[in-house]
Amino acid sequence: MINPKRSTQLVLDSLLKGPLYGIVNHRIHSPVTLDAAENWNFWTEPKSPQVEWLFRKYPPESIRKKHLDFMLEQEHSKGIEAHYDVSNDFYALFLDTSYKFYSCAEFKSDNETLEQAQTNKAAHIFELLELDGNEKILDLGCGWGAMLKFLQNSGHKGELTGLTLSKEQFAYDRNQLGLNVFLTNFITETFENKPYDRIFSIGSFEHVKPKEINKIYQKIYDALTPEGLAVHQFFSLERESYPVSMVMTQLFFSGSVLVTHDVHIKAAQSAGFTISHDSIHDYKPTLRKWYENLVKNQERALDLVGLETYNRYITFFPIAWLFFQQGEAQVHRIVTKKSRHY
């Protein structure tokens, strides 16, 4: 049966924010649980050229920019809390059981488990950090303490500190893992207890607003020791600055807008860094695995967070898969070394 209120909302959303936004929002607010197979196929199977054009070109860029600039005015905490402070138990239903990484893993073969792939990722970042075991390290946007836990398990003896804006993550890191983590906005607040030998971030630079990119790289540069380096994993836009997808993404990460990769590189170099490593990694297998895990645990997920949140996440994973499949963005791991000045 057609619901007039839902139909009207779909039309209004599609006209004002584009059909991509409208359809995503319509499916998130479905009055019934979305069918797992139909939902994945709906987003990942090819569309007609006409539909693809609408999804990529409407609304016009001037309207997109106006809307996104408005969304960027809100505090970082609003979008972070809405996405991450859902339920630690809910996230545990689909993240890896070893570390709880909520970021792109490194699948070296189709047969690897999510746990092995996330360990592969952590091992690569560990290698990029060039550690001797005694460095003082700061993790920006530490999530559920995954990389800090990996460092501890690897025998690191130096001081480890993590920063997060999520109250749920903060409670988990402190109470469950006993980590030295603080509830702090790493983008706007001063780094305490500096300098650091190493600073890294995994999946948190996506929440740095475009006007803040230069400032955060300079802030990191200034907080490092003379021989320090920083490692970052993040995804960035490959083509245009205000794609339609960024309007739709506000349904999942309100107030966050990506920049093109060259903006990151120029900001790092402008701060004084030398880029010694920049590699590209495939997010799609991780998103697929998270989707399968969540669907497998559907009943428990509905008990924990309810219908709308469940539908939101099983919509988010395939639409994110499509985002990377169509090459709108790429996951990068970069190493930025503090340049020596003589």
Side-chain angles (χ1 to χ4, degrees), residues 61-130:
E61 184 176 346
S62 59
I63 296 176
R64 292 176 232 157
K65 186 178 186 303
K66 184 176 181 180
H67 175 66
L68 291 172
D69 287 346
F70 172 77
M71 296 300 293
L72 285 168
E73 293 177 3
Q74 70 185 33
E75 294 293 326
H76 295 96
S77 57
K78 182 179 178 181
I80 295 295
E81 290 172 1
H83 190 89
Y84 295 95
D85 287 349
V86 177
S87 161
N88 287 337
D89 290 338
F90 171 70
Y91 273 92
L93 297 178
F94 59 86
L95 299 182
D96 65 288
T97 57
S98 300
Y99 293 102
K100 291 185 173 61
F101 274 109
Y102 190 38
S103 52
C104 176
E106 188 74 24
F107 284 87
K108 295 183 178 180
S109 74
D110 295 338
N111 298 323
E112 286 191 325
T113 64
L114 178 61
E115 285 70 23
Q116 183 57 56
Q118 291 292 16
T119 300
N120 294 341
K121 181 264 298 293
H124 187 212
I125 291 174
F126 181 83
E127 178 185 345
L128 295 177
L129 284 167
E130 300 179 14

Side-chain angles (χ1 to χ4, degrees), residues 275-316:
I275 311 297
S276 63
H277 175 93
D278 187 349
S279 55
I280 294 175
H281 304 268
D282 188 0
Y283 213 146
K284 297 192 300 297
T286 306
L287 292 163
R288 179 62 180 172
K289 187 63 69 174
W290 286 341
Y291 187 83
E292 292 170 353
N293 286 349
L294 183 53
V295 168
K296 183 174 62 177
N297 291 289
Q298 173 185 306
E299 185 175 344
R300 176 61 175 154
L302 291 170
D303 288 341
L304 286 170
V305 299
L307 176 63
E308 182 181 324
T309 298
Y310 175 77
N311 280 345
R312 181 180 302 278
Y313 280 76
I314 71 161
T315 302
F316 171 55

Side-chain angles (χ1 to χ4, degrees), residues 142-145 161-162 164 167-184:
C142 62
W144 286 273
T161 301
T164 180
K167 294 181 178 67
E168 289 274 333
Q169 292 174 347
F170 172 72
Y172 178 84
D173 293 340
R174 283 273 188 164
N175 301 331
Q176 300 297 315
L177 300 182
L179 294 170
N180 185 41
V181 169
F182 297 91
L183 193 64
T184 299

Side-chain angles (χ1 to χ4, degrees), residues 17-21 53-60 64 68 240 242-249 328:
K17 299 176 183 176
L20 180 61
Y21 182 102
W53 187 91
L54 281 171
F55 277 8
R56 288 175 177 268
K57 298 297 182 182
Y58 189 86
R64 292 176 232 157
L68 291 172
E240 53 187 317
Y242 289 92
V244 171
S245 57
M246 287 297 97
V247 176
M248 176 275 300
T249 300
E328 286 203 63

Side-chain angles (χ1 to χ4, degrees), residues 226-273:
E227 299 298 319
L229 64 82
V231 176
H232 306 290
Q233 174 175 303
F234 57 87
F235 53 89
S236 50
L237 295 173
E238 290 296 298
R239 296 189 291 268
E240 53 187 317
S241 299
Y242 289 92
V244 171
S245 57
M246 287 297 97
V247 176
M248 176 275 300
T249 300
Q250 301 308 303
L251 291 166
F252 305 108
F253 294 105
S254 178
S256 292
V257 175
L258 302 178
V259 298
T260 53
H261 189 62
D262 67 298
V263 172
H264 280 278
I265 298 303
K266 290 175 182 176
Q269 292 172 335
S270 178
F273 284 114

Side-chain angles (χ1 to χ4, degrees), residues 188-255:
T188 61
E189 296 180 30
T190 302
F191 293 157
E192 301 293 336
N193 200 26
K194 59 187 180 184
Y196 293 89
D197 300 301
R198 301 287 187 272
I199 296 176
F200 70 87
S201 68
I202 306 173
S204 61
F205 266 30
E206 292 86 346
H207 302 295
V208 179
K209 298 175 183 180
K211 66 180 181 181
E212 299 165 334
I213 295 291
N214 284 290
K215 294 177 183 178
I216 193 64
Y217 278 102
Q218 189 64 61
K219 186 175 171 182
I220 292 168
Y221 186 92
D222 293 341
L224 285 166
T225 58
E227 299 298 319
L229 64 82
V231 176
H232 306 290
Q233 174 175 303
F234 57 87
F235 53 89
S236 50
L237 295 173
E238 290 296 298
R239 296 189 291 268
E240 53 187 317
S241 299
Y242 289 92
V244 171
S245 57
M246 287 297 97
V247 176
M248 176 275 300
T249 300
Q250 301 308 303
L251 291 166
F252 305 108
F253 294 105
S254 178

